[in-house]
Amino acid sequence: MTIDDVWNLNSFPIKQIYQQLRGVFQKVTWRKLVCNNLGCPKWIFILTLVANERIHTRDRLEKWGITNDTECPLCENAVESIDHLFFSCRFSQAIWRRLLKWQRINRQPMQWSDELNWAVTNASGNSIAAQIFRIVLAGTVYFVWQERNQRIFQAKHRASNQTNHSRCSLSRE
């Protein structure tokens, strides 16, 4: 491609230039769980952070020297990590178990990496059941993270069987 070819507006290769500037990246396996999710934007944002393993759990904060307290605030029995919090913790496991049963999925809750792999394999399609699973997964991750933060920063505790009547809204909180 010469400079004359680039400046010829009849055959301007915008797609090629865009691809050249953008570069080539490997697609993540869980992209359909996030991109095709009809849940609230804030739920999807937290799900994306967890799927990328970028959420600031206490085990990560300890590695950075920010805290010495690594105890899970939900069960107070283990080190808080992504795999523990979603869904090995007694608190989150009880919630996830009920939601799996509600969706008629007959299996036990697994650690986060296994849940993510299961969801990629079984809930990436366009069926109603897959769409509901993606929404429920995003909502569960969000509300477990919200409960964790409320226990740490506001000293508020809810039982795993309490319902949250807050609605999904696009307004700022």
Side-chain angles (χ1 to χ4, degrees):
M1 180 169 37
T2 67
I3 193 72
D4 293 330
D5 293 334
V6 171
W7 291 110
N8 181 355
L9 296 178
N10 293 330
S11 65
F12 191 72
I14 192 75
K15 184 176 181 180
Q16 291 174 350
I17 292 171
Y18 171 76
Q19 288 175 341
Q20 194 74 26
L21 290 172
R22 183 175 166 260
V24 178
F25 298 98
Q26 182 179 0
K27 292 183 179 179
V28 292
T29 57
W30 48 262
R31 73 185 183 282
K32 289 184 179 181
L33 297 176
V34 174
C35 295
N36 295 344
N37 198 319
L38 300 174
C40 296
K42 57 187 175 181
W43 299 359
I44 297 166
F45 177 74
I46 295 298
L47 178 62
T48 303
L49 289 178
V50 174
N52 274 314
E53 297 183 3
R54 296 288 186 236
I55 200 120
H56 298 298
T57 53
R58 288 181 167 186
D59 65 330
R60 291 187 74 204
L61 296 174
E62 182 193 35
K63 288 178 188 174
W64 298 338
I66 295 173
T67 186
N68 292 327
D69 183 13
T70 60
E71 183 179 74
C72 174
L74 300 178
C75 70
E76 300 174 346
N77 281 339
V79 172
E80 181 191 74
S81 66
I82 289 174
D83 272 335
H84 171 74
L85 204 55
F86 312 102
F87 295 101
S88 296
C89 174
R90 283 189 327 249
F91 180 87
S92 61
Q93 193 175 74
I95 294 168
W96 192 234
R97 184 177 291 121
R98 278 196 310 275
L99 289 169
L100 287 172
K101 185 178 178 181
W102 175 77
Q103 296 176 85
R104 296 187 178 134
I105 298 173
N106 296 318
R107 64 172 179 79
Q108 291 298 312
M110 300 179 278
Q111 284 189 342
W112 176 248
S113 54
D114 297 327
E115 285 290 345
L116 196 58
N117 290 333
W118 188 93
V120 166
T121 305
N122 297 293
S124 294
N126 291 327
S127 71
I128 297 297
Q131 290 179 17
I132 290 172
F133 181 87
R134 291 192 297 267
I135 293 168
V136 170
L137 177 64
T140 305
V141 167
Y142 175 79
F143 284 109
V144 166
W145 186 249
Q146 183 183 51
E147 178 65 23
R148 175 242 187 225
N149 286 339
Q150 284 182 352
R151 287 184 183 203
I152 293 172
F153 300 114
Q154 298 174 4
K156 293 181 182 177
H157 292 262
R158 287 184 296 204
S160 63
N161 61 356
Q162 284 181 304
T163 58
N164 186 352
H165 298 290
S166 67
R167 301 249 182 237
C168 175
S169 71
L170 298 177
S171 63
R172 295 178 186 210
E173 294 181 351

